[in-house]
């Protein structure tokens, strides 16, 4: 029993939390489409003599600072009709609930010149909506401004914000929105069909305005908007390092110099004396006294200096010095 009671309590808390969340979301939600499909006969008002187009103001601010806290007068205008062409009207207006409506003598809207001598009436429809109506004894409606509504932009407005305003058609069996003449003639019915199918925006006649498209409210008819800020520009600096490799080739040249010793005895000159011992001198060649296949073939007269030709030069120098020494001794 205790477990069941605990489960019920948890379920109740969960439901309450869900309801609270839903209420919070709806309280701060953007405007939704509350319009209905026009289904009265005739549905097509293309043959109407008067073709009312009902629009709302489209106000765009350059910056959020300029818009924040400003009161904007929204006009509900009608065009496409002749003078003295309509009488009985009624339609709903909704605005983004971030906007604050400014009441005028305890009313949301003020009448415009288009209503003329018709009797106006209005009924609040929640915190962000109103139903506007006219009636009379004759067709005293004119093209121009029917109504104006003052709406205040929030203080925390941001660049890119869009606050839609919707003129919506609604109907139920007991009452419905109207836009007809005093007698509700055939032409009056066609005028009404045109007004709510082609003369206002709806889900079946969506707007192509860029601000309404951006806001996802193509069913709406007007707006207060703030231009989007300039996109941030990021500058990226790329440093390229170029490495140049220089290869230096050093060439070592070894020059063998043969010493020349000149000994003068009287008129006799001995130049470039060669060894008298019979040792053969050959540039770049080795002298051998062994047979060609002998193991002593590896021995040469050049010392192991690691540089080809140096051994021959040293040997030649030694022979020359030896010869000079022998001649000097003989002279003595």
């Amino acid at each position: 029993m205790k477990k069941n009671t605990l489960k019920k309590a948890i379920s109740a808390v969960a439901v309450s939390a869900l309801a609270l969340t839903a209420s919070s979301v709806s309280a701060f939600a953007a405007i939704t489409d509350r319009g209905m499909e026009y289904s009265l006969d005739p549905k097509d008002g293309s043959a109407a003599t008067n073709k009312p187009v009902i629009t709302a103001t489209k106000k765009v601010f350059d910056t959020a600072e300029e818009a924040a806290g400003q009161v904007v007068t929204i006009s509900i205008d009608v065009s496409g009709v002749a003078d003295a062409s309509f009488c009985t009207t009624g339609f709903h207006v909704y605005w983004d609930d971030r906007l604050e409506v400014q009441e005028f003598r305890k009313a949301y809207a003020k009448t415009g010149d288009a209503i003329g001598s018709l009797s106006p009436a209005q009924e609040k429809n929640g915190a962000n909506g109103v139903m506007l109506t006219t009636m009379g004894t004759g067709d005293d409606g004119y093209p121009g401004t029917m109504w104006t509504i003052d709406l205040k932009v929030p203080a925390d407005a941001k660049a890119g914000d869009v606050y839609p305003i919707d003129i919506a058609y609604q109907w139920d069996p007991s009452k419905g929105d109207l836009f007809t003449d005093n007698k509700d003639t055939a032409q009056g019915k066609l005028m009404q069909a045109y007004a709510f199918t082609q003369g206002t925006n709806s889900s079946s006649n969506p707007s192509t305005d860029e601000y309404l498209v951006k806001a996802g409210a193509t069913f709406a008819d007007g707006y207060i908007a703030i231009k989007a800020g300039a996109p941030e520009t990021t500058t990226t600096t790329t440093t390229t390092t170029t490495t140049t490799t220089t290869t230096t080739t050093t060439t070592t040249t070894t020059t063998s110099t043969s010493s020349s010793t000149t000994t003068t005895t009287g008129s006799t000159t001995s130049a470039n004396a060669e060894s008298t011992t019979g040792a053969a001198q050959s540039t770049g060649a080795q002298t051998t006294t062994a047979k060609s296949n002998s193991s002593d073939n590896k021995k040469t007269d050049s010392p192991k200096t690691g540089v080809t030709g140096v051994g021959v030069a040293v040997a030649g120098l030694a022979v020359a010095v030896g010869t000079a020494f022998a001649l000097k001794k003989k002279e003595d």
Side-chain angles (χ1 to χ4, degrees):
M1 290 296 290
K2 289 183 179 180
K3 289 183 179 180
N4 291 335
T5 301
L6 182 59
K7 287 182 180 179
K8 288 180 180 179
I10 293 173
S11 298
V13 170
V15 170
S16 298
L18 181 60
L20 180 61
T21 302
S23 298
S24 299
V25 169
S26 62
F28 297 98
I31 189 173
T32 57
D33 184 3
R34 302 187 191 183
M36 299 178 180
E37 182 181 359
Y38 188 80
S39 58
L40 302 180
D41 289 326
K43 295 180 182 179
D44 184 3
S46 299
T49 301
N50 290 285
K51 298 178 179 179
V53 175
I54 310 171
T55 59
T57 297
K58 296 177 179 179
K59 172 65 176 177
V60 180
F61 287 97
D62 290 330
T63 65
E65 292 76 14
E66 181 185 358
Q70 294 297 311
V71 175
V72 180
T73 297
I74 301 299
S75 295
I76 308 299
D77 299 331
V78 61
S79 60
V81 296
D83 290 350
S85 58
F86 63 89
C87 176
T88 308
T89 67
F91 49 83
H92 292 75
V93 179
Y94 296 96
W95 50 89
D96 191 299
D97 56 14
R98 291 172 293 177
L99 300 171
E100 181 184 347
V101 64
Q102 306 298 293
E103 290 186 328
F104 175 75
R105 295 180 184 175
K106 297 184 179 180
Y108 281 174
K110 294 180 284 187
T111 58
D113 293 340
I115 291 178
S117 61
L118 296 175
S119 298
Q122 59 184 282
E123 181 181 349
K124 294 180 181 181
N125 190 11
N128 66 322
V130 64
M131 182 179 182
L132 304 173
T133 67
T134 63
M135 63 194 76
T137 58
D139 296 331
D140 295 325
Y142 294 80
T145 299
M146 295 182 69
W147 301 89
T148 61
I149 303 172
D150 291 339
L151 299 172
K152 186 176 182 180
V153 180
D156 61 351
K158 303 183 298 299
D161 280 353
V162 180
Y163 308 95
I165 298 156
D166 183 28
I167 299 170
Y169 167 79
Q170 294 182 338
W171 182 90
D172 64 49
S174 63
K175 60 182 179 180
D177 289 354
L178 304 166
F179 203 105
T180 187
D181 53 22
N182 178 255
K183 301 296 183 179
D184 196 23
T185 64
Q187 275 296 321
K189 292 179 186 299
L190 288 170
M191 177 169 59
Q192 177 173 292
Y194 189 93
F196 295 126
T197 59
Q198 300 179 63
T200 54
N201 292 330
S202 63
S203 57
S204 58
N205 184 41
S207 172
T208 57
D209 185 281
E210 60 178 326
Y211 285 99
L212 292 175
V213 170
K214 175 185 176 182
T218 55
F219 56 84
D221 302 87
Y223 51 78
I224 299 171
I226 305 171
K227 291 181 180 179
E232 293 184 3
T233 303
T234 303
T235 303
T236 303
T237 303
T238 303
T239 303
T240 303
T241 303
T242 303
T243 303
T244 303
T245 303
T246 302
T247 303
T248 303
T249 304
T250 302
T251 303
T252 303
T253 303
T254 303
T255 304
S256 298
T257 304
S258 298
S259 298
S260 176
T261 304
T262 303
T263 304
T264 304
T265 304
S267 60
T268 305
T269 301
S270 176
N272 298 325
E274 295 182 358
S275 175
T276 56
T277 59
Q281 301 298 319
S282 174
T283 303
Q286 296 179 340
T287 301
T288 180
T289 56
K291 294 181 180 180
S292 60
N293 293 329
S294 172
S295 60
D296 291 336
N297 224 8
K298 296 180 182 179
K299 187 182 293 184
T300 67
D301 292 333
S302 301
K304 296 179 180 180
T305 62
V307 180
T308 305
V310 173
V312 175
V314 172
L317 182 59
V319 170
V321 171
T323 302
F325 180 79
L327 292 174
K328 177 65 177 175
K329 186 176 181 181
K330 187 176 181 179
E331 182 181 359
D332 291 339

